[in-house]
Amino acid sequence: MRAVVQTVGRASVTVDDEVVGAIEDGLLVLLGVTHTDTAETAATMARKVHELRILDDERSAADVGAPILVVSQFTLYGDARKGRRPSWTAAAPAEVAEPLVTAVVQALRDRGAKVETGRFRTHMLVESTNIGPKTILLDL
């Protein structure tokens, strides 16, 4: 599982002209799933995202109650080492990825995080205003 975590002043996801998820002063998490990920991987990712000390004064979303916007992003497993056309073979198929993305979201909520999401298997417009910018890659 991979996540790109960014500190944002605001972030939102729009699908078909409808805002389906939005936050202010929190974390935008682009989340990719690969074939070997499990429910345990999802729980570990949720803990790492929630406790990641990326906010001001080395605080985490868990410390300050910052909201989190989680957006599924299979392209994090794109491989463009050969040629110019990425291969997506390392990305888990939607049937595998969707329940694991949902598991990360639920694990974050179980930890007390306020979580918004995108919409799986749709064309999403993701907008964000980065703060810092601070961007971290978590690769489990």
Side-chain angles (χ1 to χ4, degrees), residues 6-11 22-28 55-56 61 64-68 129 131:
Q6 297 178 314
T7 56
V8 295
R10 65 179 180 269
I23 63 166
E24 291 185 4
D25 298 320
L27 300 177
L28 171 60
L55 299 172
D56 290 343
V64 301
I68 302 168
T129 302
I131 295 176

Side-chain angles (χ1 to χ4, degrees), residues 1-39:
M1 194 168 282
R2 285 184 183 151
V4 173
V5 182
Q6 297 178 314
T7 56
V8 295
R10 65 179 180 269
S12 65
V13 178
T14 302
V15 176
D16 295 330
D17 296 322
E18 174 193 358
V19 175
V20 297
I23 63 166
E24 291 185 4
D25 298 320
L27 300 177
L28 171 60
V29 178
L30 305 176
L31 184 64
V33 177
T34 193
H35 304 280
T36 56
D37 290 332
T38 63

Side-chain angles (χ1 to χ4, degrees), residues 73-89:
Q73 187 78 26
F74 77 92
T75 60
L76 290 178
Y77 279 100
D79 182 354
R81 289 178 288 181
K82 295 181 181 177
R84 298 174 306 210
R85 185 179 308 137
S87 166
W88 312 112
T89 58

Side-chain angles (χ1 to χ4, degrees), residues 46-118:
R47 179 184 54 78
K48 289 187 80 72
V49 166
H50 200 223
E51 295 177 1
L52 184 64
R53 298 191 172 281
I54 190 174
L55 299 172
D56 290 343
D57 300 321
E58 295 185 9
R59 293 182 297 172
S60 67
D63 294 333
V64 301
I68 302 168
L69 175 59
V70 176
V71 180
S72 175
Q73 187 78 26
F74 77 92
T75 60
L76 290 178
Y77 279 100
D79 182 354
R81 289 178 288 181
K82 295 181 181 177
R84 298 174 306 210
R85 185 179 308 137
S87 166
W88 312 112
T89 58
E95 302 76 36
V96 172
E98 187 171 10
L100 290 172
V101 170
T102 300
V104 170
V105 169
Q106 188 57 54
L108 285 164
R109 288 180 175 148
D110 291 348
R111 296 175 62 81
K114 178 187 180 288
V115 183
E116 296 282 323
T117 65

